[in-house]
Amino acid sequence: MILEMLKVILLGIVEGITEWLPISSTGHMILVDEFIKLNVSEAFMEMFLVVIQLGAILAVCVLYFHKLNPFSPKKTTVQKKETLQLWGKVIVGCVPAAIIGILFDDTIDALFYNPQTVSFTLILYGILFIVVENYNKNRKPSTNTLADLTYKTAIFIGCFQILALIPGTSRSGATILGAMILGTSRFVAAEYSFFLSIPVMFGASLLKMLKYGFSFTGNEMLYLIVGMVVAFAVSILAIKFLLGYIKKNDFKAFGVYRIVLGVIVAAYFLLR
């Protein structure tokens, strides 16, 4: 029991860190599970790897509660209107991935939930981060605040989010890359990516819970709760770190990390 709980805590830490950094949380969770093997049913593990993300999402809700609350008495009428518009852009941005995810959830799981896909996408998007950063080196962002973000751009960013349905891509990585290609600043790209995650990941968790229900053991449910709590606490730190980091740095370091990790993963499974 103690050993299994330590594994759950490790998974929660990995989720909390990798959910917000553009290095693929699902990819890392699959890889960590490959080595530590939590002693639970296969159905529960599939649900756990998705629903644990709720802990990470709650961190965004807590950190940005005022910014995301359109009914805050501390906001002016104009600010409340801007907050409602922000939610409109978030909802619009979620539509493409929601449609594809609902229609092809089982197919995507069957085809792409494997280490080979994870290693390939880690490397591919690592290269893309470096390429995009080099491309943007002499370009000035056209969108420097969330208020400047148009509904049209939000929809296009949402289309990039579809790519994140494939493990190893990184939801934050896909949306940040897409936003930067479309002319947003790194800071706007990161924050909008955080906000997009709220309905997307609540929806993904709901789909998994409806698929598997709660017919699991008491220990399994305890693991899920502990994993979510750990993911929440670590996510608070990870989000603050990322926002501070990108004020002075670009995303190339994450690109290099992804490439190195992808090569190591590919080599491990080829030589195993």
Side-chain angles (χ1 to χ4, degrees), residues 103-259:
L103 292 177
F104 300 103
D105 180 56
D106 289 337
T107 302
I108 291 170
D109 283 355
L111 292 176
F112 300 116
Y113 256 71
N114 57 71
Q116 293 78 16
T117 298
V118 170
S119 62
F120 174 78
T121 51
L122 280 170
I123 294 170
L124 174 62
Y125 288 95
I127 293 171
L128 287 176
F129 262 113
I130 295 172
V131 170
V132 170
E133 284 289 9
N134 287 335
Y135 174 70
N136 283 342
K137 191 173 183 180
N138 297 316
R139 295 173 69 213
K140 288 187 177 181
S142 57
T143 304
N144 292 293
T145 68
L146 286 168
D148 294 334
L149 188 71
T150 65
Y151 281 93
K152 180 180 178 180
T153 301
I155 292 174
F156 282 128
I157 295 173
C159 291
F160 277 94
Q161 189 169 222
I162 294 173
L163 299 172
L165 295 172
I166 300 176
T169 298
S170 170
R171 188 203 53 76
S172 63
T175 52
I176 287 172
L177 270 176
M180 289 172 58
I181 290 171
L182 293 168
T184 74
S185 68
R186 293 188 192 95
F187 199 85
V188 170
E191 280 204 330
Y192 184 64
S193 173
F194 295 160
F195 302 154
L196 269 183
S197 69
I198 297 174
V200 166
M201 290 165 64
F202 268 116
S205 297
L206 179 61
L207 282 176
K208 291 298 181 185
M209 287 188 285
L210 289 175
K211 181 177 180 180
Y212 293 110
F214 289 95
S215 56
F216 301 108
T217 67
N219 282 345
E220 287 176 335
M221 296 311 299
L222 178 61
Y223 295 158
L224 181 60
I225 293 170
V226 170
M228 289 172 60
V229 170
V230 173
F232 169 81
V234 176
S235 289
I236 295 284
L237 300 176
I239 291 170
K240 289 182 177 181
F241 164 77
L242 181 62
L243 292 178
Y245 178 86
I246 60 177
K247 288 179 180 179
K248 299 179 181 179
N249 303 277
D250 59 26
F251 286 103
K252 286 184 181 178
F254 295 112
V256 173
Y257 171 82
R258 292 180 63 108
I259 293 170

Side-chain angles (χ1 to χ4, degrees), residues 66 68-75 80 83-84:
H66 177 70
L68 293 172
N69 181 13
F71 309 109
S72 173
K74 296 181 181 180
K75 289 184 175 180
K80 291 178 180 178
T83 305
L84 287 172

